[in-house]
Amino acid sequence: MHTSVEYQEHLADIKRTLKKMESKLFVHAANLCSCSGWRNWYDSMEVGEEFEFDTDMLSEGDKNAALLVEMMEHLHHLRKELK
């Protein structure tokens, strides 16, 4: 393990970046599902209505969304492995 402050700061920045990427991939996957397989459901939602997606739902909603979820999970695993 590297103990220099500079190294640890870079590592923390990398982890924050990976976490942001995971979040963006989740949003992109939800958006793909909303304009493809879930189009009718999405169009019937009221303005301001909220719904919480989970990764299992997104994986089943669209093939490309499933790939994004897979990337997201891989990034999550890598982020947890960084020491």
Side-chain angles (χ1 to χ4, degrees):
M1 183 164 144
H2 299 274
T3 56
S4 81
V5 172
E6 182 181 19
Y7 186 93
Q8 291 303 317
E9 287 173 350
H10 284 298
L11 192 56
D13 187 43
I14 292 165
K15 289 179 180 183
R16 282 190 298 274
T17 299
L18 291 174
K19 188 170 185 163
K20 287 177 188 176
M21 290 172 66
E22 290 171 45
S23 179
K24 286 184 178 198
L25 288 171
F26 186 90
V27 170
H28 287 308
N31 287 338
L32 285 176
C33 290
S34 296
C35 64
S36 62
W38 299 350
R39 186 66 185 181
N40 291 337
W41 168 81
Y42 181 75
D43 288 343
S44 70
M45 297 225 14
E46 298 289 328
V47 174
E49 188 175 355
E50 293 183 17
F51 186 84
E52 286 193 39
F53 299 102
D54 63 31
T55 54
D56 290 335
M57 295 167 69
L58 296 174
S59 293
E60 295 171 4
D62 179 89
K63 178 184 175 185
N64 290 320
L67 291 172
L68 294 178
V69 168
E70 189 176 324
M71 281 192 283
M72 192 177 85
E73 290 170 346
H74 188 65
L75 288 175
H76 179 79
H77 174 73
L78 291 174
R79 182 170 54 89
K80 295 298 181 184
E81 291 293 316
L82 291 171
K83 305 269 187 236

Coordinates of all heavy atoms in Angstrom, one line a residue:
M1 N 0.8 -1.2 0.0 CA 0.0 0.0 0.0 C 0.9 1.2 0.0 O 1.9 1.3 0.7 CB -0.9 0.0 1.2 CG -1.8 1.1 1.3 SD -3.1 0.8 2.5 CE -3.4 2.4 3.1
H2 N 0.5 2.2 -0.8 CA 1.3 3.4 -0.9 C 0.8 4.4 0.1 O -0.4 4.6 0.3 CB 1.1 4.0 -2.3 CG 1.7 3.1 -3.4 ND1 3.0 3.1 -3.7 CD2 1.1 2.2 -4.1 CE1 3.2 2.2 -4.7 NE2 2.0 1.7 -4.9
T3 N 1.7 5.0 0.8 CA 1.3 5.9 2.0 C 1.5 7.3 1.7 O 1.1 8.2 2.5 CB 2.2 5.5 3.2 OG1 3.6 5.6 2.9 CG2 1.8 4.1 3.7
S4 N 2.1 7.7 0.5 CA 2.2 9.1 0.3 C 0.9 9.8 0.1 O -0.1 9.3 -0.4 CB 3.1 9.4 -1.0 OG 2.3 9.3 -2.2
V5 N 0.8 11.0 0.6 CA -0.4 11.8 0.6 C -0.9 12.0 -0.9 O -2.0 11.9 -1.2 CB -0.2 13.1 1.3 CG1 -1.4 14.0 1.2 CG2 0.0 12.9 2.8
E6 N 0.1 12.4 -1.7 CA -0.2 12.6 -3.1 C -0.8 11.4 -3.8 O -1.8 11.5 -4.5 CB 1.0 13.1 -3.8 CG 0.8 13.4 -5.3 CD 2.1 13.8 -6.0 OE1 3.2 13.5 -5.5 OE2 1.9 14.5 -7.1
Y7 N -0.3 10.3 -3.5 CA -0.8 9.0 -4.1 C -2.2 8.8 -3.6 O -3.1 8.4 -4.4 CB 0.1 7.8 -3.7 CG -0.2 6.5 -4.3 CD1 0.4 6.1 -5.5 CD2 -1.2 5.7 -3.7 CE1 0.0 4.9 -6.1 CE2 -1.5 4.5 -4.3 CZ -0.9 4.1 -5.5 OH -1.2 2.9 -6.1
Q8 N -2.4 8.9 -2.3 CA -3.7 8.7 -1.8 C -4.8 9.7 -2.3 O -5.9 9.3 -2.5 CB -3.7 8.7 -0.2 CG -2.9 7.5 0.4 CD -3.5 6.2 0.0 OE1 -4.7 6.0 -0.1 NE2 -2.6 5.3 -0.4
E9 N -4.4 10.9 -2.5 CA -5.3 11.9 -3.1 C -5.7 11.5 -4.5 O -6.8 11.6 -4.9 CB -4.6 13.3 -3.1 CG -4.6 13.9 -1.7 CD -3.8 15.2 -1.6 OE1 -3.1 15.5 -2.6 OE2 -3.8 15.8 -0.5
H10 N -4.7 11.1 -5.3 CA -5.0 10.6 -6.7 C -5.9 9.4 -6.6 O -6.9 9.3 -7.4 CB -3.7 10.3 -7.4 CG -3.0 11.5 -7.9 ND1 -3.5 12.4 -8.8 CD2 -1.7 11.9 -7.6 CE1 -2.6 13.3 -9.0 NE2 -1.5 13.0 -8.3
L11 N -5.7 8.5 -5.8 CA -6.5 7.3 -5.6 C -7.9 7.7 -5.3 O -8.9 7.1 -5.8 CB -5.9 6.3 -4.6 CG -6.4 4.9 -4.6 CD1 -6.4 4.3 -6.0 CD2 -5.7 4.1 -3.6
A12 N -8.1 8.6 -4.3 CA -9.4 9.0 -3.9 C -10.1 9.7 -5.1 O -11.3 9.5 -5.3 CB -9.3 10.0 -2.7
D13 N -9.4 10.5 -5.9 CA -10.0 11.1 -7.0 C -10.5 10.1 -8.1 O -11.5 10.2 -8.6 CB -9.0 12.1 -7.6 CG -9.6 12.9 -8.8 OD1 -10.8 13.4 -8.6 OD2 -9.0 13.1 -9.8
I14 N -9.6 9.1 -8.3 CA -10.0 8.0 -9.2 C -11.3 7.3 -8.7 O -12.2 7.0 -9.5 CB -8.8 7.0 -9.3 CG1 -7.7 7.6 -10.0 CG2 -9.3 5.7 -10.0 CD1 -6.3 6.9 -9.9
K15 N -11.3 7.0 -7.4 CA -12.5 6.3 -6.9 C -13.8 7.2 -7.1 O -14.9 6.7 -7.4 CB -12.3 6.0 -5.4 CG -11.3 4.9 -5.2 CD -11.1 4.6 -3.7 CE -10.2 3.5 -3.5 NZ -10.0 3.2 -2.0
R16 N -13.7 8.5 -6.8 CA -14.8 9.4 -7.0 C -15.2 9.4 -8.5 O -16.4 9.4 -8.8 CB -14.5 10.8 -6.6 CG -14.5 11.0 -5.1 CD -14.4 12.5 -4.7 NE -13.1 13.1 -5.2 CZ -12.0 13.1 -4.5 NH1 -12.0 12.5 -3.3 NH2 -10.9 13.6 -4.9
T17 N -14.3 9.4 -9.4 CA -14.6 9.4 -10.8 C -15.3 8.1 -11.2 O -16.3 8.1 -12.0 CB -13.3 9.5 -11.6 OG1 -12.7 10.8 -11.3 CG2 -13.5 9.5 -13.1
L18 N -14.8 7.0 -10.7 CA -15.4 5.7 -11.0 C -16.9 5.7 -10.5 O -17.8 5.2 -11.2 CB -14.6 4.5 -10.5 CG -13.3 4.3 -11.2 CD1 -12.5 3.2 -10.4 CD2 -13.5 3.9 -12.6
K19 N -17.1 6.2 -9.3 CA -18.4 6.2 -8.7 C -19.4 7.1 -9.6 O -20.5 6.7 -9.8 CB -18.4 6.7 -7.3 CG -19.7 6.6 -6.6 CD -19.5 6.8 -5.1 CE -20.9 6.5 -4.4 NZ -20.8 6.4 -3.0
K20 N -18.9 8.2 -10.1 CA -19.7 9.1 -10.9 C -20.0 8.4 -12.2 O -21.1 8.5 -12.7 CB -18.9 10.4 -11.2 CG -18.9 11.3 -10.1 CD -18.1 12.6 -10.4 CE -17.9 13.5 -9.2 NZ -17.0 14.6 -9.5
M21 N -19.0 7.6 -12.8 CA -19.3 6.9 -14.0 C -20.3 5.8 -13.8 O -21.2 5.6 -14.7 CB -18.0 6.3 -14.5 CG -17.0 7.3 -15.0 SD -15.3 6.6 -15.4 CE -15.7 5.5 -16.7
E22 N -20.3 5.1 -12.7 CA -21.3 4.1 -12.3 C -22.7 4.8 -12.4 O -23.6 4.2 -12.9 CB -21.1 3.5 -11.0 CG -19.9 2.6 -10.9 CD -19.6 2.2 -9.4 OE1 -20.5 1.9 -8.7 OE2 -18.4 2.3 -9.0
S23 N -22.8 5.9 -11.7 CA -24.1 6.6 -11.6 C -24.6 7.1 -13.0 O -25.7 6.9 -13.3 CB -23.9 7.8 -10.7 OG -25.1 8.5 -10.6
K24 N -23.7 7.6 -13.8 CA -24.1 8.0 -15.2 C -24.5 6.8 -16.0 O -25.4 6.9 -16.8 CB -22.9 8.7 -15.9 CG -22.7 10.1 -15.3 CD -21.6 10.9 -16.0 CE -21.5 12.3 -15.4 NZ -20.9 13.2 -16.3
L25 N -23.8 5.7 -15.9 CA -24.2 4.5 -16.6 C -25.6 4.0 -16.2 O -26.4 3.6 -17.1 CB -23.2 3.4 -16.4 CG -21.8 3.6 -17.1 CD1 -20.8 2.5 -16.7 CD2 -22.0 3.6 -18.6
F26 N -25.9 4.1 -14.9 CA -27.2 3.7 -14.5 C -28.3 4.6 -15.1 O -29.3 4.1 -15.6 CB -27.3 3.9 -12.9 CG -28.5 3.4 -12.3 CD1 -28.7 2.1 -11.9 CD2 -29.6 4.2 -12.1 CE1 -29.8 1.6 -11.4 CE2 -30.8 3.8 -11.6 CZ -30.9 2.5 -11.2
V27 N -28.1 5.9 -15.1 CA -29.0 6.9 -15.8 C -29.2 6.6 -17.2 O -30.3 6.5 -17.8 CB -28.6 8.3 -15.5 CG1 -29.4 9.3 -16.4 CG2 -28.7 8.7 -14.0
H28 N -28.1 6.3 -17.9 CA -28.1 6.0 -19.4 C -28.9 4.7 -19.6 O -29.7 4.6 -20.5 CB -26.7 5.9 -20.0 CG -26.0 7.2 -20.1 ND1 -26.5 8.2 -20.8 CD2 -24.8 7.5 -19.7 CE1 -25.7 9.2 -20.8 NE2 -24.6 8.8 -20.1
A29 N -28.7 3.7 -18.8 CA -29.4 2.4 -18.9 C -30.9 2.7 -18.7 O -31.8 2.2 -19.5 CB -28.9 1.4 -17.9
A30 N -31.3 3.5 -17.7 CA -32.7 3.8 -17.5 C -33.3 4.5 -18.6 O -34.5 4.2 -19.1 CB -32.9 4.6 -16.2
N31 N -32.6 5.4 -19.2 CA -33.1 6.2 -20.3 C -33.3 5.3 -21.6 O -34.2 5.5 -22.3 CB -32.1 7.4 -20.7 CG -32.2 8.5 -19.7 OD1 -33.2 8.6 -19.0 ND2 -31.1 9.3 -19.6
L32 N -32.3 4.4 -21.8 CA -32.5 3.4 -22.9 C -33.8 2.6 -22.7 O -34.6 2.4 -23.7 CB -31.3 2.5 -23.0 CG -30.0 3.1 -23.6 CD1 -28.9 2.0 -23.6 CD2 -30.3 3.6 -25.0
C33 N -34.0 2.1 -21.5 CA -35.2 1.3 -21.3 C -36.5 2.2 -21.5 O -37.5 1.7 -22.0 CB -35.2 0.7 -19.9 SG -33.9 -0.5 -19.6
S34 N -36.4 3.4 -21.0 CA -37.6 4.3 -21.1 C -38.0 4.6 -22.5 O -39.1 4.9 -22.8 CB -37.3 5.6 -20.3 OG -37.2 5.3 -19.0
C35 N -37.1 4.6 -23.5 CA -37.4 4.9 -24.8 C -37.4 3.7 -25.7 O -37.5 3.8 -27.0 CB -36.5 6.0 -25.4 SG -34.8 5.6 -25.6
S36 N -37.4 2.5 -25.1 CA -37.5 1.3 -25.9 C -38.6 0.4 -25.4 O -39.7 0.7 -25.5 CB -36.1 0.5 -26.0 OG -35.7 0.2 -24.7
G37 N -38.2 -0.7 -24.7 CA -39.1 -1.7 -24.2 C -40.1 -1.1 -23.2 O -41.2 -1.7 -23.0
W38 N -39.8 -0.1 -22.5 CA -40.7 0.5 -21.5 C -41.4 1.8 -22.0 O -42.0 2.5 -21.2 CB -39.9 0.9 -20.2 CG -39.2 -0.2 -19.5 CD1 -39.3 -1.6 -19.8 CD2 -38.3 -0.1 -18.5 NE1 -38.5 -2.3 -18.9 CE2 -37.9 -1.4 -18.1 CE3 -37.7 0.9 -17.8 CZ2 -37.0 -1.7 -17.1 CZ3 -36.8 0.7 -16.8 CH2 -36.4 -0.6 -16.4
R39 N -41.4 2.0 -23.3 CA -41.9 3.2 -23.8 C -43.4 3.5 -23.4 O -43.7 4.6 -23.0 CB -41.8 3.2 -25.4 CG -42.2 4.5 -26.0 CD -41.2 5.5 -25.6 NE -41.6 6.8 -26.1 CZ -40.9 7.9 -25.9 NH1 -39.8 7.8 -25.3 NH2 -41.2 9.0 -26.4
N40 N -44.3 2.5 -23.5 CA -45.7 2.7 -23.2 C -45.8 3.0 -21.7 O -46.6 3.9 -21.4 CB -46.5 1.5 -23.5 CG -46.6 1.3 -25.0 OD1 -46.5 2.2 -25.8 ND2 -46.9 0.1 -25.5
W41 N -45.1 2.3 -20.9 CA -45.2 2.6 -19.4 C -44.7 4.0 -19.1 O -45.3 4.8 -18.4 CB -44.3 1.6 -18.7 CG -44.1 1.9 -17.2 CD1 -45.0 1.8 -16.2 CD2 -43.0 2.6 -16.7 NE1 -44.4 2.3 -15.0 CE2 -43.2 2.8 -15.3 CE3 -41.7 3.0 -17.2 CZ2 -42.3 3.4 -14.5 CZ3 -40.8 3.7 -16.4 CH2 -41.1 3.8 -15.0
Y42 N -43.5 4.4 -19.8 CA -42.9 5.7 -19.5 C -43.9 6.8 -20.0 O -44.0 7.8 -19.3 CB -41.6 5.8 -20.3 CG -40.9 7.1 -20.1 CD1 -40.2 7.4 -18.9 CD2 -40.8 8.0 -21.1 CE1 -39.6 8.6 -18.7 CE2 -40.2 9.2 -20.9 CZ -39.6 9.5 -19.7 OH -38.9 10.7 -19.5
D43 N -44.5 6.6 -21.1 CA -45.4 7.6 -21.6 C -46.6 7.8 -20.8 O -47.3 8.9 -20.8 CB -45.8 7.3 -23.1 CG -44.7 7.5 -24.1 OD1 -43.7 8.2 -23.8 OD2 -44.8 6.9 -25.2
S44 N -47.0 6.8 -20.0 CA -48.2 6.9 -19.1 C -47.9 7.5 -17.8 O -48.8 7.8 -17.0 CB -48.8 5.5 -19.0 OG -48.0 4.7 -18.1
M45 N -46.6 7.7 -17.5 CA -46.3 8.3 -16.2 C -46.7 9.8 -16.1 O -46.6 10.5 -17.1 CB -44.8 8.2 -15.9 CG -44.3 6.8 -15.9 SD -43.2 6.3 -14.6 CE -43.1 7.5 -13.4
E46 N -47.2 10.2 -15.0 CA -47.6 11.6 -14.8 C -46.3 12.5 -14.6 O -45.3 12.0 -14.1 CB -48.4 11.7 -13.5 CG -49.7 10.9 -13.6 CD -50.7 11.6 -14.5 OE1 -50.7 12.8 -14.6 OE2 -51.5 10.8 -15.1
V47 N -46.4 13.7 -15.0 CA -45.3 14.6 -14.8 C -45.0 14.7 -13.3 O -45.9 14.9 -12.5 CB -45.7 16.0 -15.4 CG1 -44.6 17.0 -15.1 CG2 -45.9 15.9 -16.9
G48 N -43.7 14.6 -13.0 CA -43.3 14.7 -11.6 C -43.4 13.4 -10.8 O -42.9 13.3 -9.7
E49 N -44.0 12.3 -11.4 CA -44.1 11.0 -10.8 C -42.7 10.4 -10.7 O -41.9 10.5 -11.6 CB -45.1 10.1 -11.6 CG -45.4 8.8 -10.9 CD -46.4 8.0 -11.7 OE1 -47.0 8.5 -12.7 OE2 -46.7 6.9 -11.3
E50 N -42.4 9.8 -9.6 CA -41.1 9.2 -9.4 C -41.2 7.7 -9.4 O -42.2 7.1 -8.9 CB -40.5 9.7 -8.1 CG -40.1 11.2 -8.2 CD -39.4 11.7 -6.9 OE1 -38.9 10.8 -6.2 OE2 -39.4 12.9 -6.7
F51 N -40.2 7.0 -9.8 CA -40.1 5.6 -9.8 C -38.6 5.2 -9.6 O -37.7 5.8 -10.2 CB -40.6 5.0 -11.1 CG -40.7 3.5 -11.1 CD1 -41.8 2.9 -10.6 CD2 -39.6 2.7 -11.6 CE1 -41.9 1.5 -10.5 CE2 -39.7 1.3 -11.5 CZ -40.8 0.7 -11.0
E52 N -38.4 4.2 -8.7 CA -37.0 3.8 -8.5 C -36.7 2.5 -9.3 O -37.4 1.5 -9.1 CB -36.8 3.6 -7.0 CG -36.6 4.9 -6.2 CD -36.1 4.6 -4.8 OE1 -35.2 3.8 -4.7 OE2 -36.6 5.3 -3.9
F53 N -35.7 2.6 -10.1 CA -35.2 1.4 -10.9 C -34.2 0.7 -10.1 O -33.5 1.3 -9.3 CB -34.6 1.9 -12.2 CG -35.5 2.6 -13.1 CD1 -35.5 4.0 -13.2 CD2 -36.5 1.9 -13.9 CE1 -36.3 4.6 -14.1 CE2 -37.3 2.6 -14.7 CZ -37.2 3.9 -14.8
D54 N -34.0 -0.6 -10.3 CA -32.8 -1.3 -9.8 C -32.1 -1.9 -11.0 O -32.6 -2.0 -12.1 CB -33.2 -2.3 -8.7 CG -34.1 -3.4 -9.1 OD1 -34.0 -3.8 -10.3 OD2 -34.9 -3.9 -8.3
T55 N -30.9 -2.4 -10.7 CA -30.1 -2.9 -11.8 C -30.8 -4.2 -12.5 O -30.6 -4.4 -13.7 CB -28.7 -3.2 -11.4 OG1 -28.7 -4.1 -10.2 CG2 -27.9 -2.0 -11.0
D56 N -31.5 -5.0 -11.7 CA -32.1 -6.2 -12.3 C -33.2 -5.7 -13.3 O -33.3 -6.3 -14.3 CB -32.8 -7.0 -11.2 CG -31.7 -7.7 -10.3 OD1 -30.6 -8.0 -10.8 OD2 -32.0 -8.0 -9.1
M57 N -33.9 -4.7 -12.9 CA -35.0 -4.2 -13.8 C -34.4 -3.7 -15.1 O -34.9 -4.0 -16.2 CB -35.8 -3.1 -13.2 CG -36.6 -3.6 -12.0 SD -37.2 -2.2 -11.0 CE -38.4 -1.5 -12.2
L58 N -33.3 -3.0 -15.0 CA -32.6 -2.4 -16.2 C -32.0 -3.5 -17.0 O -32.1 -3.4 -18.3 CB -31.5 -1.4 -15.7 CG -32.0 -0.2 -15.0 CD1 -30.8 0.7 -14.5 CD2 -32.9 0.7 -15.9
S59 N -31.5 -4.5 -16.4 CA -30.9 -5.6 -17.2 C -31.9 -6.4 -18.0 O -31.6 -6.9 -19.0 CB -30.2 -6.6 -16.2 OG -29.1 -6.0 -15.6
E60 N -33.1 -6.4 -17.5 CA -34.2 -7.1 -18.2 C -34.9 -6.2 -19.2 O -35.7 -6.6 -20.1 CB -35.2 -7.6 -17.2 CG -34.6 -8.7 -16.3 CD -35.6 -9.1 -15.2 OE1 -36.7 -8.6 -15.1 OE2 -35.2 -9.9 -14.3
G61 N -34.7 -4.9 -19.2 CA -35.4 -3.9 -20.0 C -34.9 -3.7 -21.4 O -35.7 -3.4 -22.3
D62 N -33.6 -3.9 -21.6 CA -33.0 -3.7 -22.9 C -31.6 -4.3 -23.0 O -30.9 -4.3 -22.0 CB -32.9 -2.1 -23.1 CG -32.3 -1.7 -24.4 OD1 -33.1 -1.6 -25.4 OD2 -31.1 -1.5 -24.5
K63 N -31.3 -4.9 -24.1 CA -30.0 -5.5 -24.2 C -28.8 -4.6 -24.0 O -27.9 -4.9 -23.3 CB -29.9 -6.2 -25.6 CG -28.5 -6.8 -25.8 CD -28.4 -7.4 -27.3 CE -27.0 -7.9 -27.5 NZ -26.8 -8.4 -28.8
N64 N -28.9 -3.4 -24.6 CA -27.8 -2.4 -24.4 C -27.8 -1.9 -22.9 O -26.7 -1.6 -22.4 CB -28.0 -1.3 -25.4 CG -27.6 -1.7 -26.8 OD1 -26.7 -2.5 -27.0 ND2 -28.4 -1.2 -27.7
A65 N -29.0 -1.7 -22.3 CA -29.0 -1.3 -20.9 C -28.4 -2.4 -20.1 O -27.6 -2.1 -19.1 CB -30.5 -1.1 -20.5
A66 N -28.6 -3.7 -20.4 CA -27.9 -4.7 -19.6 C -26.4 -4.7 -19.7 O -25.7 -4.9 -18.8 CB -28.4 -6.1 -20.2
L67 N -25.9 -4.3 -20.9 CA -24.5 -4.1 -21.1 C -23.9 -3.0 -20.2 O -22.9 -3.1 -19.6 CB -24.1 -3.9 -22.5 CG -24.3 -5.1 -23.4 CD1 -24.1 -4.7 -24.9 CD2 -23.4 -6.3 -23.1
L68 N -24.7 -1.9 -20.1 CA -24.3 -0.8 -19.3 C -24.3 -1.2 -17.8 O -23.4 -0.8 -17.1 CB -25.2 0.4 -19.5 CG -25.2 1.1 -20.9 CD1 -26.2 2.2 -21.0 CD2 -23.8 1.6 -21.2
V69 N -25.3 -1.9 -17.4 CA -25.3 -2.4 -16.0 C -24.1 -3.3 -15.8 O -23.5 -3.2 -14.7 CB -26.6 -3.2 -15.7 CG1 -26.6 -3.9 -14.4 CG2 -27.8 -2.2 -15.7
E70 N -23.8 -4.1 -16.7 CA -22.6 -5.0 -16.6 C -21.3 -4.1 -16.4 O -20.5 -4.4 -15.5 CB -22.5 -5.9 -17.8 CG -21.4 -7.0 -17.7 CD -21.4 -7.9 -18.9 OE1 -22.5 -8.2 -19.4 OE2 -20.3 -8.3 -19.3
M71 N -21.2 -3.1 -17.2 CA -20.0 -2.2 -17.1 C -20.0 -1.5 -15.7 O -19.0 -1.4 -15.1 CB -20.0 -1.1 -18.2 CG -19.5 -1.6 -19.5 SD -19.2 -0.3 -20.6 CE -20.9 0.1 -21.2
M72 N -21.2 -1.1 -15.3 CA -21.4 -0.4 -14.0 C -20.9 -1.4 -12.9 O -20.2 -0.9 -12.0 CB -22.9 -0.1 -13.8 CG -23.2 0.9 -12.7 SD -24.9 1.2 -12.8 CE -25.6 -0.1 -11.9
E73 N -21.4 -2.6 -12.9 CA -21.0 -3.5 -11.9 C -19.5 -3.8 -11.9 O -18.9 -4.0 -10.8 CB -21.8 -4.8 -12.0 CG -23.3 -4.6 -11.7 CD -24.2 -5.8 -12.0 OE1 -23.7 -6.7 -12.8 OE2 -25.3 -5.8 -11.6
H74 N -18.9 -3.9 -13.1 CA -17.5 -4.1 -13.2 C -16.7 -2.9 -12.6 O -15.8 -3.1 -11.8 CB -17.1 -4.3 -14.6 CG -15.7 -4.8 -14.8 ND1 -15.2 -6.0 -14.4 CD2 -14.6 -4.1 -15.4 CE1 -13.9 -6.0 -14.7 NE2 -13.6 -4.9 -15.3
L75 N -17.1 -1.7 -12.9 CA -16.5 -0.5 -12.3 C -16.6 -0.5 -10.8 O -15.7 -0.1 -10.1 CB -17.1 0.8 -12.9 CG -16.8 1.1 -14.3 CD1 -17.6 2.3 -14.8 CD2 -15.3 1.3 -14.5
H76 N -17.8 -0.9 -10.3 CA -18.0 -1.0 -8.9 C -17.0 -1.9 -8.2 O -16.4 -1.6 -7.2 CB -19.4 -1.4 -8.6 CG -19.7 -1.5 -7.1 ND1 -20.0 -0.4 -6.3 CD2 -19.8 -2.6 -6.3 CE1 -20.2 -0.8 -5.1 NE2 -20.0 -2.1 -5.0
H77 N -16.9 -3.1 -8.8 CA -15.9 -4.1 -8.3 C -14.5 -3.5 -8.3 O -13.8 -3.7 -7.3 CB -16.0 -5.4 -9.1 CG -15.0 -6.4 -8.7 ND1 -15.1 -7.1 -7.5 CD2 -13.9 -6.8 -9.3 CE1 -14.0 -7.9 -7.5 NE2 -13.3 -7.7 -8.5
L78 N -14.1 -2.9 -9.4 CA -12.7 -2.4 -9.5 C -12.5 -1.3 -8.5 O -11.4 -1.2 -7.9 CB -12.5 -1.9 -10.9 CG -12.4 -2.9 -12.1 CD1 -12.3 -2.2 -13.4 CD2 -11.3 -3.8 -11.8
R79 N -13.5 -0.4 -8.3 CA -13.4 0.7 -7.4 C -13.2 0.1 -6.0 O -12.4 0.6 -5.2 CB -14.6 1.5 -7.4 CG -14.6 2.7 -6.5 CD -15.8 3.7 -6.8 NE -17.1 3.1 -6.8 CZ -17.8 2.9 -5.7 NH1 -17.4 3.3 -4.5 NH2 -19.0 2.4 -5.8
K80 N -13.8 -1.0 -5.6 CA -13.7 -1.6 -4.3 C -12.4 -2.2 -4.1 O -11.9 -2.4 -3.0 CB -14.8 -2.6 -4.0 CG -16.2 -1.9 -4.0 CD -16.3 -1.0 -2.8 CE -17.7 -0.4 -2.8 NZ -17.8 0.7 -1.8
E81 N -11.8 -2.7 -5.2 CA -10.5 -3.4 -5.1 C -9.3 -2.4 -5.0 O -8.2 -2.8 -4.6 CB -10.2 -4.2 -6.4 CG -11.1 -5.4 -6.4 CD -10.8 -6.4 -5.3 OE1 -9.7 -6.7 -5.1 OE2 -11.8 -6.9 -4.7
L82 N -9.5 -1.1 -5.4 CA -8.4 -0.2 -5.3 C -8.0 0.1 -3.9 O -8.9 0.4 -3.1 CB -8.8 1.1 -6.0 CG -8.9 1.1 -7.6 CD1 -9.5 2.4 -8.1 CD2 -7.5 0.8 -8.2
K83 N -6.8 0.0 -3.6 CA -6.3 0.2 -2.2 C -5.2 1.3 -2.1 O -4.4 1.4 -2.9 CB -5.8 -1.1 -1.6 CG -6.7 -2.2 -1.6 CD -7.6 -2.3 -0.4 CE -8.4 -3.5 -0.4 NZ -9.8 -3.3 -0.2

